[in-house]
């Protein structure tokens, strides 16, 4: 654990606030993402204002519940808000319909009605699962997302995707359910393990790589402070990543097109994750995927030469992996692309960048690109 007895500086008391405006197909919504060191302990009043409810179901996994569960219940009680803590065992393998059903039954037994709300406190697994409980409980109750991993802060807590994994694959059953409020306390990262923390950084670099070169450069420069978990540096990072994600999701909530730009690095990452039986952390696979997809882009002339090297150097300095698992059998990876292809309607498509900070594509030609199989084999295994 880092900086267990930290004192919060004045600049850290300033909250950063990003508003997410989603113009959906059926309805529009707007919600705030509030970022500040120490916000955990004062979240009651913000929740009461943005998400008034008769009772709150605080949902966490076992690890996060142990660290922050009681603190969250007390923060709500401080504002005279009644809540009950529900927990499930930590781990991706618990993001299932069975746990969704256990949690939903738990809420029913505890008498939660339509006037309740869910407060999801944890990483992406909690956010997706608790979000899906909220999306379906009595045909939908509001959810407040309180992410506690870097990945969840910069990525999964914003955008409204919720759901569970099935034996046929990840995230195959779910729903779009935008939160009413997202509260981010970067000091919660003090207790996060180093590998989980570093893996989350990959998604922040991705945001810079697709849309904001200056952010990409700043992240690289600020790495020492970020890795020392300096709250102000982390708040800046989270705020910029959330702004980028909000901008993208605001334009395309349901991933009809533009939202796919967030998949840079992810086609290779998903194939590698499938083949390695999910033994890699998602962010680690994304780091490798970004380098290789930049190389693919260079090979088909869409990406400026040198971008793959630039990405590789920066990701190495963040201690992220940049090469495929040496054990990977090329044909297995190609097969994983085939599976992805079926899901995507016939083609393996890649989100590519033309340069650091500029995604390749347009509304006219689309935001993903095909790469011939021989180029794919040559770049990945050549
Ligand atoms: N909804 C989306 O848009 C979206 C986007 C990206 C990823 N995801 C999903 O997110 C999930 C991965 O999320 P994740 O990487 O946060 O994993 P996770 O939720 O499993 O958290 C990783 C581990 O860290 C622990 N943890 C969480 N916060 C902690 C803290 N502050 N201190 C100590 N330990 C802590 C957890 O208990 C868990 O053991 C995947 O299921 C993925 O599909 C969803
Ligand atoms: Zn991702």
């Amino acid at each position: 654990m880092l900086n267990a007895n930290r004192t919060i500086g004045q600049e850290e008391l300033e909250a950063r606030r990003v508003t997410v405006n989603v113009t959906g197909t059926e309805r529009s919504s707007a919600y705030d993402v509030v970022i500040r060191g120490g916000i955990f302990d004062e979240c009651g009043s913000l929740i009461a204002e943005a998400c008034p409810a008769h009772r709150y179901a605080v949902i966490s996994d076992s690890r996060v519940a142990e660290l922050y569960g009681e603190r969250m219940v007390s923060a709500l009680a401080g504002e005279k808000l009644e809540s009950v803590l529900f927990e499930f065992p930590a781990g991706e393998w618990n993001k299932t319909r069975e746990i969704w059903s256990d949690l939903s039954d738990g809420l029913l037994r505890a008498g939660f009605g339509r006037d309740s709300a869910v407060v999801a406190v944890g990483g992406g697994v909690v956010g997706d699962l608790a979000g899906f409980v909220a999306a379906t409980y009595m045909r939908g109750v509001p959810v407040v997302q309180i992410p506690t991993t870097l990945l969840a802060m910069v990525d999964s807590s914003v955008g409204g995707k919720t759901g569970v994994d099935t034996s046929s694959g990840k995230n195959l059953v779910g729903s779009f359910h935008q939160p009413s409020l997202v509260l981010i306390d970067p000091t919660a990262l003090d207790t996060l393990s180093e590998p989980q923390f570093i893996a989350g950084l990959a998604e922040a670099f991705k945001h810079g790589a697709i849309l904001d070169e200056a952010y990409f450069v700043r992240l690289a420069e600020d790495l020492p402070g970020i890795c020392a978990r300096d709250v102000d540096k982390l708040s800046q990072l989270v705020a910029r990543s959330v702004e980028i994600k909000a901008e993208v999701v605001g334009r395309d909530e349901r991933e009809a097109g533009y939202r796919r730009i967030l998949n840079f690095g992810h086609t290779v990452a998903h194939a590698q994750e499938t083949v390695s039986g999910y033994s890699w952390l998602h962010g680690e696979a994304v780091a490798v995927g970004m380098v290789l997809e930049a190389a693919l882009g260079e090979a088909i002339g869409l990406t400026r030469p040198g971008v793959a090297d630039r990405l590789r150097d920066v990701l190495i300095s963040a201690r992220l992996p940049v090469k495929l698992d040496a054990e990977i059998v090329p044909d297995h990876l190609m097969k994983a692309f085939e599976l992805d292809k079926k899901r995507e309607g016939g083609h393996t498509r890649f989100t590519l960048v033309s340069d650091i900070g500029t995604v390749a594509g347009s509304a006219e030609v689309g935001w993903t690109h095909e790469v011939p199989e021989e180029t794919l084999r040559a770049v990945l295994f050549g």
Side-chain angles (χ1 to χ4, degrees):
M1 189 191 292
L2 296 175
N3 307 335
N5 298 315
R6 77 161 71 248
T7 48
I8 308 238
Q10 192 53 43
E11 74 279 9
E12 293 163 13
L13 290 173
E14 304 278 329
R16 290 179 167 81
R17 194 179 282 261
V18 180
T19 303
V20 186
N21 289 295
V22 181
T23 326
T25 34
E26 290 117 47
R27 57 187 167 165
S28 301
S29 62
Y31 54 93
D32 281 343
V33 181
V34 188
I35 304 151
R36 182 164 68 70
I39 210 166
F40 256 18
D41 298 316
E42 296 137 44
C43 63
S45 56
L46 290 162
I47 291 176
E49 193 185 326
C51 185
H54 177 56
R55 281 168 94 201
Y56 296 86
V58 178
I59 301 182
S60 239
D61 70 23
S62 45
R63 169 105 184 99
V64 179
E66 190 188 335
L67 289 163
Y68 302 109
E70 281 312 316
R71 216 169 127 190
M72 200 53 58
V73 169
S74 305
L76 290 166
E79 291 295 316
K80 307 223 175 336
L81 305 178
E82 191 191 327
S83 68
V84 178
L85 177 63
F86 296 87
E87 58 175 270
F88 62 91
E92 178 76 33
W93 51 94
N94 293 311
K95 204 177 103 177
T96 61
R97 280 170 292 196
E98 288 69 33
I99 302 283
W100 163 81
S101 145
D102 289 350
L103 289 167
S104 304
D105 287 346
L107 264 68
L108 288 168
R109 271 196 304 274
F112 278 79
R114 282 201 50 75
D115 51 3
S116 333
V118 168
V119 180
V121 188
V125 166
V126 172
D128 282 11
L129 194 46
F132 190 44
V133 169
T136 47
Y137 193 73
M138 302 204 169
R139 299 202 180 82
V141 295
V143 61
V144 174
Q145 291 283 356
I146 307 193
T148 61
T149 62
L150 187 54
L151 177 122
M153 291 179 186
V154 300
D155 191 355
S156 58
S157 61
V158 173
K161 282 188 182 175
T162 73
V164 293
D165 303 333
T166 76
S167 55
S168 301
K170 280 186 54 148
N171 301 320
L172 293 181
V173 172
S175 164
F176 283 93
H177 190 56
Q178 299 291 343
S180 300
L181 175 71
V182 182
L183 293 175
I184 301 184
D185 187 339
T187 67
L189 297 173
D190 285 356
T191 50
L192 189 66
S193 74
E194 192 70 4
Q196 294 282 357
F197 180 82
I198 299 282
L201 278 181
E203 299 282 0
F205 277 113
K206 178 196 75 183
H207 290 139
I210 55 172
L211 285 180
D212 186 349
E213 185 187 13
Y215 176 46
F216 183 87
V217 170
R218 200 174 71 231
L219 277 177
E221 286 170 1
D222 284 352
L223 266 178
I226 290 167
C227 291
R229 310 204 189 175
D230 175 281
V231 182
D232 201 46
K233 291 269 184 282
L234 285 172
S235 301
Q236 283 174 33
L237 175 162
V238 172
R240 185 62 194 130
S241 269
V242 167
E243 272 171 10
I244 290 173
K245 177 131 192 211
E247 208 263 322
V248 175
V249 170
R251 275 173 65 172
D252 176 20
E253 183 198 23
R254 306 273 161 144
E255 205 164 297
Y258 189 63
R259 189 167 175 164
R260 286 166 193 236
I261 72 166
L262 295 169
N263 287 343
F264 177 50
H266 280 60
T267 308
V268 169
H270 288 151
Q272 145 107 24
E273 285 178 300
T274 306
V275 171
S276 61
Y278 295 94
S279 57
W280 284 45
L281 292 176
H282 174 67
E284 294 171 342
V286 170
V288 174
M290 286 193 287
V291 173
L292 290 175
E293 291 181 13
L296 288 174
E298 290 184 26
I300 61 168
L302 258 182
T303 304
R304 193 175 130 136
V307 166
D309 283 344
R310 195 170 159 202
L311 270 162
R312 185 181 294 110
D313 290 349
V314 166
L315 296 170
I316 287 174
S317 68
R319 284 175 289 131
L320 279 158
V322 292
K323 280 191 192 142
L324 286 174
D325 195 333
E327 315 269 282
I328 276 189
V329 178
D331 281 344
H332 291 179
L333 200 72
M334 297 307 290
K335 205 151 174 210
F337 285 128
E338 288 291 316
L339 282 176
D340 202 46
K341 191 154 120 177
K342 279 210 201 94
R343 262 181 227 139
E344 287 284 317
H347 303 286
T348 308
R349 301 192 64 91
F350 295 84
T351 300
L352 299 172
V353 295
S354 48
D355 204 342
I356 297 288
T358 313
V359 73
S362 65
E364 288 73 38
V365 302
W367 300 102
T368 56
H369 310 271
E370 261 184 86
V371 175
E373 187 178 330
E374 45 302 356
T375 312
L376 197 52
R377 281 189 184 268
V379 170
L380 300 188
F381 317 112

XYZ file of all heavy atoms in Angstrom, residues 61-64 67-68 90-92 95 122-128 147-153 155-162 165 170-171 188-193 196 203 245 259 266 281-282, ligand 1:
395
model
N -17.230 -5.893 -4.666
C -16.704 -7.254 -4.557
C -16.050 -7.415 -3.190
O -15.901 -6.440 -2.429
C -15.792 -7.609 -5.744
C -14.466 -6.878 -5.747
O -14.010 -6.413 -4.673
O -13.869 -6.766 -6.832
N -15.658 -8.660 -2.860
C -15.194 -8.949 -1.502
C -13.978 -8.105 -1.114
O -13.871 -7.618 0.012
C -14.848 -10.438 -1.378
O -14.093 -10.855 -2.499
N -13.072 -7.904 -2.088
C -11.837 -7.169 -1.785
C -12.145 -5.687 -1.525
O -11.691 -5.097 -0.551
C -10.890 -7.334 -2.982
C -9.686 -6.481 -2.997
C -8.432 -7.264 -2.642
N -7.256 -6.409 -2.553
C -6.779 -5.960 -1.406
N -7.329 -6.272 -0.264
N -5.718 -5.183 -1.390
N -12.947 -5.093 -2.403
C -13.238 -3.658 -2.269
C -14.168 -3.414 -1.080
O -14.042 -2.411 -0.365
C -13.831 -3.099 -3.587
C -14.158 -1.623 -3.456
C -12.864 -3.324 -4.732
N -12.157 -3.130 1.955
C -11.378 -1.886 2.041
C -12.260 -0.655 2.207
O -11.922 0.261 2.959
C -10.541 -1.714 0.771
C -9.353 -2.661 0.581
C -8.887 -2.646 -0.883
C -8.208 -2.245 1.491
N -13.361 -0.594 1.446
C -14.115 0.665 1.366
C -15.611 0.550 1.662
O -16.302 1.566 1.685
C -13.936 1.288 -0.033
C -12.487 1.548 -0.382
C -11.825 0.789 -1.347
C -11.762 2.541 0.284
C -10.490 1.016 -1.649
C -10.425 2.769 -0.010
C -9.804 2.006 -0.976
O -8.478 2.225 -1.257
N -14.567 -11.448 -5.326
C -13.834 -10.694 -6.358
C -13.359 -11.619 -7.462
O -13.120 -12.806 -7.244
C -12.633 -9.988 -5.715
N -13.230 -11.075 -8.675
C -12.661 -11.847 -9.797
C -13.571 -11.838 -11.006
O -14.796 -11.958 -10.881
N -12.948 -11.719 -12.174
C -13.688 -11.679 -13.445
C -14.615 -12.884 -13.610
O -15.707 -12.785 -14.159
C -12.659 -11.644 -14.603
C -13.242 -11.659 -15.988
C -13.833 -10.316 -16.422
O -13.313 -9.262 -16.020
O -14.844 -10.341 -17.162
N -18.240 -12.505 -12.851
C -19.114 -11.575 -13.590
C -20.086 -12.411 -14.412
O -19.997 -12.503 -15.633
C -18.248 -10.674 -14.497
C -18.888 -9.354 -14.843
C -17.956 -8.486 -15.663
C -18.325 -8.469 -17.101
N -17.475 -7.569 -17.910
N -16.233 -0.261 -6.957
C -15.233 -1.269 -7.288
C -14.650 -1.074 -8.674
O -14.798 -0.013 -9.284
N -13.992 -2.121 -9.172
C -13.396 -2.071 -10.504
C -14.442 -2.309 -11.575
O -15.653 -2.247 -11.319
N -13.967 -2.610 -12.782
C -14.869 -2.799 -13.909
C -15.822 -3.963 -13.731
O -16.942 -3.927 -14.246
N -15.381 -4.981 -13.004
C -16.264 -6.129 -12.788
C -17.484 -5.695 -11.972
O -18.627 -5.993 -12.324
C -15.495 -7.284 -12.093
C -16.450 -8.329 -11.563
C -14.499 -7.908 -13.067
N -17.241 -4.956 -10.904
C -18.356 -4.472 -10.076
C -19.228 -3.507 -10.887
O -20.460 -3.607 -10.877
C -17.837 -3.758 -8.797
C -18.985 -3.081 -8.057
C -17.106 -4.734 -7.895
N -18.591 -2.604 -11.608
C -19.346 -1.610 -12.376
C -20.265 -2.275 -13.387
O -21.435 -1.912 -13.512
N -19.731 -3.276 -14.104
C -20.535 -3.950 -15.130
C -21.670 -4.759 -14.507
O -22.801 -4.747 -14.985
C -19.648 -4.899 -15.964
C -18.806 -4.151 -16.993
O -18.758 -2.911 -16.927
O -18.210 -4.807 -17.856
N -15.849 4.127 -9.264
C -14.789 3.210 -9.697
C -13.571 3.267 -8.774
O -13.207 4.338 -8.296
C -14.437 3.736 -11.090
C -14.822 5.176 -11.077
C -16.005 5.293 -10.165
N -12.948 2.111 -8.549
C -11.790 2.080 -7.633
C -10.525 1.512 -8.281
O -9.501 1.427 -7.625
C -12.117 1.255 -6.369
O -12.418 -0.091 -6.776
C -13.276 1.838 -5.583
N -10.614 1.070 -9.563
C -9.374 0.719 -10.269
C -9.111 1.817 -11.299
O -10.042 2.542 -11.692
C -9.484 -0.627 -11.026
O -10.512 -0.516 -12.024
C -9.788 -1.788 -10.093
N -7.862 1.919 -11.747
C -7.557 2.946 -12.744
C -8.322 2.651 -14.034
O -8.844 3.555 -14.678
C -6.033 3.000 -12.995
C -5.559 4.135 -13.895
C -6.039 5.505 -13.404
C -4.039 4.129 -14.014
N -8.417 1.371 -14.397
C -9.161 1.012 -15.610
C -10.614 1.481 -15.515
O -11.166 2.053 -16.455
C -9.123 -0.500 -15.864
C -9.960 -0.900 -17.086
C -9.124 -1.623 -18.114
C -11.177 -1.696 -16.706
N -11.224 1.238 -14.364
C -12.631 1.637 -14.208
C -12.770 3.157 -14.187
O -13.743 3.710 -14.706
C -13.209 1.008 -12.947
N -11.781 3.857 -13.601
C -11.858 5.325 -13.549
C -11.757 5.944 -14.946
O -12.486 6.872 -15.277
C -10.731 5.880 -12.669
C -10.903 5.560 -11.197
S -9.543 6.219 -10.204
C -9.943 5.513 -8.595
N -12.099 4.367 -17.887
C -12.763 3.688 -18.992
C -14.165 3.191 -18.638
O -15.177 3.772 -19.042
C -11.874 2.518 -19.458
C -12.329 1.898 -20.756
O -13.385 2.301 -21.264
O -11.635 1.004 -21.278
N -14.256 2.117 -17.823
C -15.526 1.388 -17.773
C -16.648 2.101 -17.018
O -17.817 1.802 -17.250
C -15.307 -0.011 -17.186
O -14.758 0.046 -15.912
N -16.316 3.051 -16.120
C -17.394 3.668 -15.329
C -18.201 4.677 -16.141
O -19.295 5.064 -15.755
C -16.811 4.351 -14.084
O -15.910 5.363 -14.472
N -17.636 5.113 -17.265
C -18.303 6.109 -18.100
C -18.743 5.445 -19.396
O -17.979 4.677 -19.979
C -17.326 7.272 -18.411
C -17.915 8.237 -19.420
C -16.959 7.995 -17.124
N -19.945 5.688 -19.824
C -20.358 5.166 -21.130
C -21.564 4.264 -21.085
O -22.174 3.998 -22.111
N -21.895 3.740 -19.899
C -23.172 3.047 -19.749
C -23.224 1.599 -20.173
O -24.302 1.003 -20.160
N -22.086 0.990 -20.544
C -22.154 -0.442 -20.886
C -22.161 -1.255 -19.603
O -21.296 -1.066 -18.741
C -20.934 -0.849 -21.719
C -21.001 -0.441 -23.170
C -19.827 -1.072 -23.910
C -19.789 -0.676 -25.357
N -18.572 -1.191 -26.031
N -23.134 -2.149 -19.476
C -23.193 -3.024 -18.300
C -23.417 -4.447 -18.795
O -23.860 -4.645 -19.918
C -24.372 -2.659 -17.373
O -25.592 -3.078 -18.004
C -24.448 -1.174 -17.081
N -20.428 -11.931 -18.312
C -19.796 -12.866 -19.237
C -20.638 -14.148 -19.279
O -21.384 -14.444 -18.335
C -18.376 -13.224 -18.750
C -17.495 -11.993 -18.578
O -17.737 -10.985 -19.268
O -16.555 -12.043 -17.755
N -16.992 -13.039 -23.390
C -17.130 -11.944 -22.421
C -18.213 -10.946 -22.840
O -18.397 -10.686 -24.025
C -15.784 -11.214 -22.324
C -14.780 -11.945 -21.430
C -13.531 -11.105 -21.247
C -13.885 -9.722 -20.745
N -12.902 -9.106 -19.894
N -18.888 -10.402 -21.868
C -19.825 -9.280 -22.064
C -20.920 -9.561 -23.096
O -21.357 -8.660 -23.799
C -19.057 -8.020 -22.524
C -18.017 -7.607 -21.519
O -18.239 -7.662 -20.312
N -16.860 -7.195 -21.996
N -8.160 6.254 -3.762
C -8.515 4.828 -3.659
C -7.490 3.965 -4.379
O -7.392 2.757 -4.123
C -9.907 4.592 -4.239
N -6.731 4.589 -5.291
C -5.735 3.807 -6.031
C -4.537 3.430 -5.163
O -3.721 2.599 -5.557
C -5.272 4.586 -7.269
C -6.376 4.857 -8.302
C -5.877 5.761 -9.409
C -6.901 3.540 -8.876
N -4.426 4.044 -3.992
C -3.307 3.708 -3.089
C -3.254 2.219 -2.765
O -2.179 1.669 -2.529
C -3.454 4.468 -1.762
C -3.099 5.937 -1.906
O -2.669 6.331 -3.008
O -3.266 6.680 -0.919
N -4.416 1.597 -2.724
C -4.451 0.190 -2.302
C -4.450 -0.780 -3.493
O -4.436 -1.990 -3.303
C -5.727 -0.071 -1.468
O -6.850 0.437 -2.185
C -5.643 0.584 -0.105
N -4.470 -0.221 -4.705
C -4.537 -1.094 -5.894
C -3.160 -1.698 -6.183
O -2.145 -1.011 -6.065
C -5.007 -0.268 -7.101
C -5.346 -1.060 -8.360
C -6.569 -1.950 -8.136
C -5.612 -0.104 -9.530
N -3.129 -2.963 -6.595
C -1.840 -3.614 -6.852
C -1.148 -2.947 -8.045
O -1.803 -2.376 -8.923
C -2.049 -5.102 -7.137
O -2.596 -5.255 -8.431
N -2.266 -4.122 -11.618
C -3.587 -3.586 -11.984
C -3.475 -2.101 -12.330
O -4.128 -1.619 -13.258
C -4.584 -3.747 -10.828
C -4.941 -5.179 -10.486
C -5.952 -5.784 -11.451
O -6.436 -5.120 -12.353
N -6.242 -7.053 -11.265
N -5.012 2.125 -21.075
C -6.217 2.738 -21.664
C -6.061 4.267 -21.731
O -6.584 4.908 -22.638
C -7.473 2.361 -20.868
C -7.778 0.861 -20.815
C -8.420 0.285 -22.079
O -8.659 1.041 -23.043
O -8.657 -0.945 -22.096
N -13.338 10.063 -23.344
C -14.336 8.993 -23.454
C -15.742 9.601 -23.560
O -16.570 9.144 -24.352
C -14.229 8.037 -22.261
C -15.291 6.962 -22.314
C -14.841 5.551 -22.114
C -15.955 4.589 -22.494
N -15.972 3.360 -21.757
N -17.884 5.219 -31.846
C -17.405 4.687 -30.563
C -16.337 3.610 -30.768
O -15.552 3.327 -29.869
C -18.592 4.148 -29.746
C -18.214 3.770 -28.311
C -19.438 3.541 -27.419
N -19.015 3.073 -26.101
C -19.770 3.071 -25.021
N -21.001 3.534 -25.065
N -19.322 2.610 -23.873
N -7.478 -3.117 -29.539
C -8.342 -4.128 -28.919
C -8.609 -5.366 -29.773
O -8.952 -6.396 -29.230
C -9.674 -3.491 -28.494
C -9.567 -2.741 -27.206
N -8.718 -1.677 -27.038
C -10.186 -2.919 -25.997
C -8.836 -1.217 -25.800
N -9.713 -1.952 -25.142
N -3.673 -9.429 -17.984
C -4.622 -8.366 -17.632
C -5.011 -7.661 -18.932
O -4.192 -7.543 -19.856
C -3.987 -7.371 -16.657
C -3.693 -7.930 -15.265
C -2.974 -6.887 -14.421
C -4.992 -8.361 -14.585
N -6.245 -7.191 -18.993
C -6.755 -6.577 -20.228
C -5.838 -5.433 -20.718
O -5.478 -5.378 -21.889
C -8.178 -6.071 -19.973
C -8.744 -5.299 -21.112
N -9.045 -5.883 -22.326
C -9.046 -3.979 -21.248
C -9.523 -4.956 -23.144
N -9.530 -3.800 -22.519
N -18.347 -1.219 -19.273
C -17.308 -0.876 -20.005
O -17.370 0.043 -20.831
C -16.012 -1.595 -19.802
C -14.837 -1.085 -20.359
C -13.637 -1.753 -20.103
C -13.631 -2.862 -19.291
N -14.792 -3.344 -18.757
C -14.814 -4.515 -17.882
O -14.069 -4.220 -16.717
C -13.602 -5.434 -16.150
C -12.174 -5.264 -15.682
O -12.156 -4.262 -14.698
P -10.923 -4.075 -13.711
O -9.658 -4.158 -14.480
O -11.212 -2.870 -12.915
O -10.951 -5.429 -12.865
P -11.661 -5.828 -11.473
O -12.920 -5.118 -11.278
O -11.672 -7.312 -11.436
O -10.609 -5.317 -10.389
C -9.330 -5.908 -10.340
C -8.992 -6.370 -8.929
O -8.677 -5.230 -8.141
C -9.429 -5.237 -6.923
N -9.623 -3.831 -6.569
C -10.471 -2.951 -7.144
N -10.261 -1.729 -6.633
C -9.282 -1.839 -5.708
C -8.626 -0.915 -4.851
N -8.882 0.385 -4.901
N -7.678 -1.391 -4.029
C -7.365 -2.712 -4.029
N -7.930 -3.625 -4.815
C -8.872 -3.189 -5.653
C -10.672 -6.015 -7.247
O -11.236 -6.575 -6.096
C -10.135 -7.085 -8.209
O -9.604 -8.138 -7.472
C -13.775 -6.506 -17.216
O -14.847 -7.335 -16.859
C -14.131 -5.721 -18.464
O -14.978 -6.443 -19.341
C -15.975 -2.713 -18.997
